Amino acid sequence: MKQVKLMIGLLFMLTVLPSSAETKSAATTVSADQHRLAENKARDQYRHPIQTLEFFGVKPNMTVVEISPGGGWYTEILAPYLRDEGKLYAAHFSADSKVAYFQKSLKSFIDKTTAQPEIYGKMILTELDPPAKVEVAPAGSADSVLTFRNVHNWMKSGTVDAVFKAMYVALKQGGMLGVVEHRGIAGTDQDPKAISGYVNEDYVIKLAEKAGFILLGKSEVNANPKDTKNHPEGVWTLPPSLRLEEKNKAKYLAIGESDRMTLKFVKP
C-alpha cells in the first residue's frame, strides 16, 4: 500500500511541478523587485528564496496559501509573483485573538500590505487560530501550501496536528505542501514543545504523514553546517534575533541563521 501511495505521489509531482528553468526565471525577477525591504533582501543569503520556491515547484498561475506569514518576508515575493495569473491566500493570526503579540503582528502585516495595493491588492487574507479557525483557504482549492519556520510555534501551543490537518484540507488532490523549519540534532529525543525552536526532521515528517501527506523530497538548500544547535537561547541566539545582544555577537554572526530542513509533501 505504501508503495502504491508513493507511485501516486511521484505521478502528481511530474504533472503539477514546472520545469526548474520556468520557476527560476520568474522567481529571480520577483526577488529583485524594489518593493522588498532592504533588511529582507539581506537575508536571502540564508533563506535562499529562489532555490526554495524552485524546489517547491511554485508556478505563477497557482493558488498558493502562505501559512502564518508573520512580517511578510515571503509574502513580498509571493504576492507579485502570483498577482497576474495566480492567487495568494495569507493565513495570518485572527483579528479576534486575545494575544497582544498576535494582534500587533497582524496589524503590522495589514498596514504593510494595504500601503502597497499594486503589490498586495489581490492577496486574500484569511485567519488561522486553531482549533476554532482553521479554514486557511476553501477546501480543496490550493495547488500549494507553504510554511516557513512555524512548526515549532504550533508544537509549543499544542495545535500542530490541527494546523497540519488544515493545510491538508485546503489542498487539492495532488497539491503540494512545502515546509521549512529549524532542524534539530538527528537521533535526539524531541521536546514536544520545541522550546529551543529546533525540531527533528523525522518528527516533522511524522506530523505530516499523520495528517495524510506523502513525503516527496528533501532539499539541503537551507542547510547550515555551522549551526551546532546547542545555543543558550535556542535558535533565537542566532541572527536575525541575536537575543544575547552584544554577548558573543561576532561568534553568532559568523554562524549565520539556523540550520533548516526543507521538505516537500503531496496530498494523495
Side-chain angles (χ1 to χ4, degrees):
M1 185 63 181
K2 186 174 288 187
Q3 289 180 332
V4 171
K5 285 187 174 183
L6 181 59
M7 288 301 297
I8 292 172
L10 291 173
L11 286 172
F12 281 133
M13 179 176 67
L14 291 172
T15 56
V16 304
L17 299 188
S19 69
S20 19
E22 175 188 356
T23 306
K24 189 171 184 178
S25 175
T28 302
T29 301
V30 171
S31 71
D33 276 359
Q34 295 303 308
H35 72 278
R36 293 185 68 207
L37 296 177
E39 57 265 36
N40 286 347
K41 286 186 178 183
R43 296 182 67 194
D44 286 358
Q45 62 179 310
Y46 303 116
R47 304 197 70 178
H48 310 101
I50 297 170
Q51 299 93 324
T52 299
L53 293 177
E54 180 182 13
F55 174 69
F56 288 153
V58 179
K59 292 185 192 179
N61 63 351
M62 281 182 167
T63 294
V64 177
V65 184
E66 184 183 4
I67 303 292
S68 297
W73 195 97
Y74 256 101
T75 317
E76 287 186 0
I77 296 172
L78 290 169
Y81 183 55
L82 299 166
R83 176 184 54 209
D84 295 334
E85 301 176 64
K87 183 181 291 185
L88 175 63
Y89 289 91
H92 214 293
F93 297 125
S94 171
D96 300 326
S97 175
K98 305 301 182 185
V99 180
Y101 171 79
F102 292 175
Q103 292 179 349
K104 181 179 179 181
S105 178
L106 176 61
K107 182 181 184 303
S108 177
F109 184 79
I110 291 174
D111 289 346
K112 171 179 179 173
T113 55
T114 55
Q116 300 182 78
E118 71 281 6
I119 301 295
Y120 303 102
K122 293 185 178 181
M123 182 189 72
I124 301 170
L125 186 64
T126 59
E127 295 178 311
L128 177 62
D129 186 16
K133 298 180 179 181
V134 292
E135 188 178 358
V136 296
S141 67
D143 299 294
S144 181
V145 174
L146 307 175
T147 185
F148 304 95
R149 300 176 304 121
N150 288 307
V151 176
H152 62 283
N153 292 320
W154 304 327
M155 290 171 64
K156 184 178 180 180
S157 64
T159 60
V160 67
D161 287 335
V163 177
F164 269 91
K165 189 63 178 178
M167 296 189 291
Y168 188 90
V169 170
L171 282 165
K172 300 174 180 178
Q173 186 179 30
M176 193 280 304
L177 169 66
V179 178
V180 176
E181 178 57 285
H182 309 291
R183 179 164 49 193
I185 300 173
T188 60
D189 292 336
Q190 177 63 56
D191 169 15
K193 294 291 186 180
I195 299 302
S196 70
Y198 288 101
V199 186
N200 292 350
E201 190 172 287
D202 60 352
Y203 193 86
V204 175
I205 293 171
K206 288 176 182 177
L207 288 171
E209 290 177 340
K210 182 179 179 181
F213 291 103
I214 295 173
L215 178 68
L216 280 184
K218 306 177 182 181
S219 172
E220 291 299 299
V221 65
N222 294 304
N224 180 1
K226 295 180 181 179
D227 182 8
T228 58
K229 310 174 186 184
N230 59 351
H231 316 298
E233 294 291 334
V235 296
W236 300 280
T237 310
L238 300 175
S241 297
L242 292 170
R243 190 169 285 178
L244 296 180
E245 299 180 346
E246 295 302 315
K247 184 178 180 181
N248 294 323
K249 183 176 180 179
K251 169 186 173 181
Y252 297 123
L253 285 174
I255 293 173
E257 296 193 14
S258 66
D259 176 51
R260 293 159 189 168
M261 67 187 85
T262 305
L263 306 175
K264 177 168 56 181
F265 301 89
V266 68
K267 175 180 178 177

